[in-house]
Amino acid sequence: MDESSMPPPSVTAPGPPTPPVPLTALLAREELGLRRIAGPADADLLWVHTSEMADPYPYLLGGELLLSAGVLLTDPDRYVARLVEAGAAALGFGVRPVHESVPEALVEACDRHGLPLLEVPPETPFTTIARAVWRLMAEARHRELRRVTRAQQALATAAARPDPVPAVLHQLATHLDGRALLLTATGEELHTAGRHPSPEAAAALARLAGLVTRDRPGAPASATDTAGGTQLSAYALGGEVSSASSRDRSDLRTPTRADRPTRGQARDERRTHARDERVTAPPSQPQPQPQPQPQPQGERLALALATRRREPGDHTVAGIAVVLLSLLTAPHRGTAAAGRSAALVRLLLGASPAEAAPLLGPEGPWTVVHARRTDGTRADALTAGALGASLGSTLVDAGYGEGDAVRVLLQEPHAPAPQPGWTLGAATPTPLPALPTADLRAARALAHAEATRTPLATETPATGLASLIPPDRAAAHARILLAPLTPPLAGTLRCWLSLHGSWDRTAVALAVHRNTVRQRIGRCAELLGMDLNDMDVRTELWFALRQEPPSAP
């Protein structure tokens, strides 16, 4: 007679990955009265199975706590050897009514083969042990669910930050307690976070990155390995995450007869497959997995992880990060991108901007935005692209000008919203032919926003008396009037005038000492030969400074 103790529906229902139950946790349940009398103290329990067969090998998947009263126990050594070969985690031997005590030969066999042996007292039913195991598994499962949920929330929050790619990697490294890297197919590190792995592990991660990115773009791939006790994983971005070991992917040729697994190897693979299915069970509420566009062949990226240990929920957490990073780094292609590419080709081949501009889309209105990181750091291509995505545009120019400003072209007519971590300057919506003028106004707006420490400033077209002067004549007058000033002096003068001549506020805006501001303004007055305390002079200078692109102070 063969029986199997199955977990209740609440445990077997699809849900987060369930960690195995440590044998020590089961032994700690004093009400069970279990006692380890042979074999190692450490073991991970995945199942509970009851069998009185002389050889239960054909019915075991691996990881079981096998419970038996030894009804057909005739050869303890062979019995234990077969359990170890099948991958059983531990043996629980019930005392009475068949045996008054655990046979000494069984104790010796378990010590010899390294199988934990538990003595089950007569007053403890096997079903009570099974219930205790499933209860421990449910508790562990709930803990893992909470851990994965916290990690998912942290990763989603990081993806909304101004620097989403480094932020996601930082959160991933924190929650997995390891190292997270964004690598190219050649092993080049684009972004990293967490503890530095050993040189051996770093080299192995680079190999894994090349392994998962060598297939066709968009093909799902992942690989795992170990190096010096460090758990390594790599995931290709731009596709759905799948489970594959580096051993399985190391040789893609058709298997020959010599490659076919033996019966024991096939059983090991069956146990591993069953355990992987258990460990990588989907969440109880399936979540849609966005399908980002694939990276071009030469730019496919990989997420690489190096951790001290690999918990069951780590694969789920990594999968969430893969989806987010794929969305953050994948280029947006389509009919609009094709038109933009055509516009670029025409410009390179000598067409005028007016001829190429209609390929970008509607004639208008368009909004030009200039932006810089508030902390003064330079924005890389990925961070600039994330800003463009937040503003709703893929037309992004990173690192423009001496001040490393990012330029974004918005097709929507509405004004952009402030972005955390960025200082923005925007021009009012304008048709395509007026984009060069709008670009100049956006640059001025950014300078004003930085000077006044505001997250967003909008430069409007000239109105009132200023609109009565033709732009070309106004620009010529400004160039002549401001010719004696160097760019740093002109920038300081513009900031000082925009803040109504406040020394302290100008010093704070320019991050210099107030005496430095006084010296620069005094030098401006000397070079221009003007009294800057005269309101008429200030008005004329302000009008001239608004006609010229702002310069870094």
Side-chain angles (χ1 to χ4, degrees):
M1 184 74 180
D2 182 53
E3 296 180 356
S4 223
S5 299
M6 299 300 294
S10 61
V11 176
T12 56
T18 302
V21 174
L23 179 61
T24 54
L26 184 63
L27 293 173
R29 304 294 290 262
E30 297 182 357
E31 71 276 11
L32 299 177
L34 302 179
R35 185 169 65 95
R36 184 180 63 86
I37 58 177
D42 296 328
D44 291 331
L45 310 180
L46 296 176
W47 328 89
V48 177
H49 187 68
T50 301
S51 176
E52 296 300 341
M53 298 182 64
D55 183 11
Y57 173 92
Y59 302 97
L60 300 181
L61 288 175
E64 293 92 349
L65 168 61
L66 182 65
L67 301 175
S68 175
V71 175
L72 300 178
L73 181 63
T74 57
D75 187 347
D77 187 76
R78 183 179 183 279
Y79 181 79
V80 173
R82 292 287 285 174
L83 293 183
V84 172
E85 184 180 354
L91 172 62
F93 194 87
V95 178
R96 301 185 196 149
V98 181
H99 296 271
E100 291 298 324
S101 62
V102 180
E104 188 63 29
L106 183 62
V107 176
E108 295 175 356
C110 287
D111 276 330
R112 184 163 48 252
H113 292 282
L115 180 68
L117 176 61
L118 311 183
E119 181 185 66
V120 182
E123 61 273 12
T124 302
F126 286 176
T127 54
T128 303
I129 299 175
R131 289 180 181 274
V133 171
W134 301 131
R135 188 175 295 110
L136 290 171
M137 293 181 69
E139 294 172 357
R141 180 185 180 188
H142 293 156
R143 288 194 300 269
E144 195 67 11
L145 173 61
R146 289 193 294 269
R147 186 178 78 92
V148 172
T149 301
R150 287 194 298 267
Q152 181 178 9
Q153 294 172 347
L155 291 172
T157 302
R161 291 188 53 183
D163 49 349
V165 174
V168 169
L169 291 176
H170 173 72
Q171 289 297 330
L172 185 61
T174 300
H175 283 272
L176 298 186
D177 190 23
R179 181 78 166 174
L181 307 92
L182 186 63
L183 304 175
T184 64
T186 59
E188 178 187 359
E189 296 184 2
L190 299 181
H191 291 284
T192 62
R195 294 191 308 269
H196 289 277
S198 65
E200 178 187 3
L205 278 178
R207 290 194 298 270
L208 286 181
L211 179 67
V212 300
T213 55
R214 73 183 182 186
D215 295 333
R216 60 182 175 84
S222 67
T224 60
D225 202 352
T226 57
T230 302
Q231 304 293 325
L232 309 177
S233 304
Y235 304 83
L237 300 188
E240 181 182 357
V241 180
S242 64
S243 178
S245 67
S246 57
R247 178 189 60 187
D248 294 336
R249 300 178 54 82
S250 61
D251 191 357
L252 302 181
R253 58 185 172 85
T254 302
T256 63
R257 182 179 182 86
D259 296 324
R260 296 173 185 171
T262 63
R263 186 172 186 271
Q265 292 172 338
R267 181 172 299 280
D268 290 340
E269 293 178 0
R270 183 181 68 173
R271 291 201 310 267
T272 302
H273 178 71
R275 187 178 295 114
D276 288 345
E277 287 184 343
R278 180 183 180 82
V279 168
T280 59
S284 55
Q285 295 182 351
Q287 300 178 1
Q289 298 294 324
Q291 296 295 328
Q293 295 291 334
Q295 289 283 340
Q297 178 66 27
E299 299 181 3
R300 199 175 187 201
L301 305 178
L303 170 64
L305 302 173
T307 57
R308 295 179 180 177
R309 59 186 180 276
R310 184 175 292 132
E311 301 294 343
D314 291 351
H315 181 74
T316 302
V317 175
I320 297 169
V322 167
V323 173
L324 292 174
L325 292 173
S326 296
L327 293 174
L328 292 171
T329 60
H332 301 275
R333 304 296 297 174
T335 56
R340 294 160 193 161
S341 298
L344 176 60
V345 170
R346 294 194 184 186
L347 288 173
L348 293 176
L349 294 181
S352 66
E355 296 173 348
L359 295 175
L360 296 178
E363 292 187 359
W366 291 78
T367 301
V368 181
V369 178
H370 284 217
R372 279 195 196 91
R373 299 295 301 274
T374 305
D375 58 8
T377 60
R378 178 168 183 168
D380 57 21
L382 294 178
T383 305
L387 171 65
S390 299
L391 294 174
S393 174
T394 58
L395 298 177
V396 180
D397 179 17
Y400 167 72
E402 296 180 358
D404 298 329
V406 176
R407 294 193 297 183
V408 183
L409 192 58
L410 305 180
Q411 188 172 340
E412 298 295 331
H414 58 76
Q419 300 297 319
W422 291 90
T423 300
L424 305 180
T428 53
T430 182
L432 279 174
L435 281 181
T437 303
D439 184 53
L440 183 62
R441 294 202 303 268
R444 294 169 181 159
L446 175 60
H448 179 71
E450 291 179 320
T452 57
R453 297 296 177 91
T454 56
L456 172 64
T458 301
E459 181 82 359
T460 57
T463 57
L465 295 177
S467 64
L468 301 178
I469 302 177
D472 54 343
R473 296 184 60 183
H477 173 71
R479 284 193 296 271
I480 296 173
L481 180 63
L482 302 176
L485 301 183
T486 62
L489 289 177
T492 301
L493 179 60
R494 191 182 198 284
C495 181
W496 182 70
L497 291 175
S498 70
L499 296 175
H500 310 289
S502 171
W503 306 107
D504 293 330
R505 293 176 61 191
T506 304
V508 172
L510 300 180
V512 297
H513 196 275
R514 64 194 309 271
N515 289 340
T516 302
V517 177
R518 288 183 177 274
Q519 293 172 0
R520 291 180 181 179
I521 297 302
R523 182 59 176 164
C524 290
E526 180 182 346
L527 292 174
L528 295 173
M530 295 180 174
D531 181 9
L532 299 186
N533 292 319
D534 189 326
M535 183 55 65
D536 290 336
V537 172
R538 291 192 181 189
T539 302
E540 182 178 6
L541 288 176
W542 179 247
F543 174 80
L545 287 167
R546 285 174 57 88
Q547 313 307 313
E548 289 293 313
S551 302

